[in-house]
Amino acid sequence: IFFITTIDSVSDSATRETGQITRITEQIILTWIKDRRNDVEKLSQCYVFKISLEGNFVGKTSRKSARKKLKSYAKANEFCFSIGIAGKDGKVVASSDKKQRGASIANQAFFQSTMKGEMPKPPVRLNPKTKSTSFVISLPIKDDEKIIGIMFADIDLKYFTDRFLDNVKIGKSGYVFLIDQYGGIIYHPDETIDNSINIHELEWGKQRMEKPKGDMKIDWNGKRLLVSYAVVPDLGWGILSVMDNKEIN
């Protein structure tokens, strides 16, 4: 009886630890992304961007100043791959990345949602320029209360994970990893992991989807693991804190 009680006590302690790491990670992510959104929102309110979206002579001549301001922001913030503005037709009129200028983002879900005044879940994608994972923060540019375009920033996810997640240790070998709202792995400390795996297609991944947060024991990659998980509000990303069951038993 003493042995069973001790094992249960260790298991409860491990569950509390993984759960605590999950909650802390959730708050760190929310705070960091909120700060980035506030940065972009403040920048988007500069008058030059509103003028640059106009199709007249003044608007077109203002775009040089807009590009200069965007390039200055991207240069000053290492986490920002690029930042640009697009009109209501989706055409990029100014960007810190000259390759984006004149391109259309009209078919992008984040553009369509932002133009409707919604806050889109940041899409995670492979940055074609750096081959690194990034996500998009987008905010409307308004003339009074009318949305006339958007500002969008491509943010380096690795910048965040390098500083806040790489050094997280749970027990001796535990770790934290992230998935997007579709079940794709967007961060894992083990670079040998198969990132093409969709967690939502795994049996335990389907169980995880039934609740926004919880704990479970799973069998994955030949190991029995204790997993605490949570879905980050407004982002849809999943945080999974993992501990090897051998450390519990």
Side-chain angles (χ1 to χ4, degrees):
I1 294 175
F2 174 76
F3 176 75
I4 294 174
T5 303
T6 302
I7 291 296
D8 287 344
S9 177
V10 172
S11 181
D12 289 345
S13 177
T15 300
R16 285 195 298 273
E17 182 177 359
T18 55
Q20 183 180 33
I21 293 294
T22 300
R23 290 189 294 274
I24 291 172
T25 303
E26 179 182 341
Q27 288 306 309
I28 290 173
I29 291 174
L30 285 171
T31 300
W32 194 79
I33 292 184
K34 181 181 178 181
D35 288 344
R36 303 292 72 77
R37 287 188 64 87
N38 289 342
D39 290 344
V40 175
E41 182 176 22
K42 184 177 179 180
L43 183 64
S44 72
Q45 294 170 357
C46 291
Y47 187 68
V48 68
F49 298 124
K50 183 173 72 170
I51 295 298
S52 296
L53 292 175
E54 296 180 1
N56 56 28
F57 176 77
V58 175
K60 291 177 181 178
T61 54
S62 298
R63 292 171 188 176
K64 183 176 180 180
S65 296
R67 289 195 296 268
K68 186 176 180 180
K69 206 167 203 41
L70 293 170
K71 288 176 71 173
S72 177
Y73 177 86
K75 185 177 180 179
N77 294 280
E78 189 181 347
F79 54 79
C80 183
F81 283 139
S82 64
I83 184 167
I85 60 172
K88 58 185 179 182
D89 61 353
K91 184 178 179 181
V92 179
V93 300
S95 174
S96 62
D97 182 356
K98 62 182 180 181
K99 292 182 179 179
Q100 289 183 343
R101 297 169 201 164
S104 176
I105 59 171
N107 292 328
Q108 298 289 333
F110 72 83
F111 171 78
Q112 296 169 1
S113 296
T114 306
M115 284 299 296
K116 294 176 183 176
E118 301 170 354
M119 184 186 293
K121 293 178 180 178
V124 181
R125 59 189 185 180
L126 187 67
N127 185 284
K129 184 177 179 180
T130 63
K131 305 301 181 184
S132 182
T133 305
S134 63
F135 62 94
V136 176
I137 289 176
S138 57
L139 287 156
I141 297 175
K142 297 181 178 181
D143 184 6
D144 291 327
E145 292 302 311
K146 183 181 179 181
I147 297 175
I148 59 173
I150 78 164
M151 177 172 284
F152 61 101
D154 201 20
I155 306 297
D156 183 9
L157 182 61
K158 191 173 186 298
Y159 179 95
F160 172 81
T161 58
D162 281 353
R163 287 158 179 76
F164 297 104
L165 298 186
D166 275 0
N167 295 323
V168 172
K169 289 287 183 281
I170 307 173
K172 295 180 180 179
S173 59
Y175 54 87
V176 171
F177 74 100
L178 304 177
I179 62 175
D180 64 17
Q181 60 264 44
Y182 307 109
I185 298 173
I186 58 176
Y187 164 75
H188 198 292
D190 182 357
E191 295 183 354
T192 65
I193 200 76
D194 183 1
N195 284 336
S196 66
I197 294 173
N198 187 306
I199 299 300
H200 289 173
E201 293 177 357
L202 303 178
E203 190 58 40
W204 61 266
K206 294 175 183 176
Q207 294 176 29
R208 187 200 69 83
M209 291 173 64
E210 294 175 359
K211 296 180 181 179
K213 60 181 61 179
D215 307 284
M216 62 171 63
K217 288 189 177 181
I218 67 169
D219 294 300
W220 193 33
N221 287 341
K223 295 181 179 179
R224 182 71 169 166
L225 304 171
L226 171 65
V227 178
S228 175
Y229 62 88
V231 176
V232 183
D234 298 327
L235 300 181
W237 299 357
I239 304 168
L240 296 97
S241 301
V242 178
M243 179 183 283
D244 195 320
N245 200 58
K246 289 181 179 179
E247 292 189 36
I248 302 170
N249 296 333

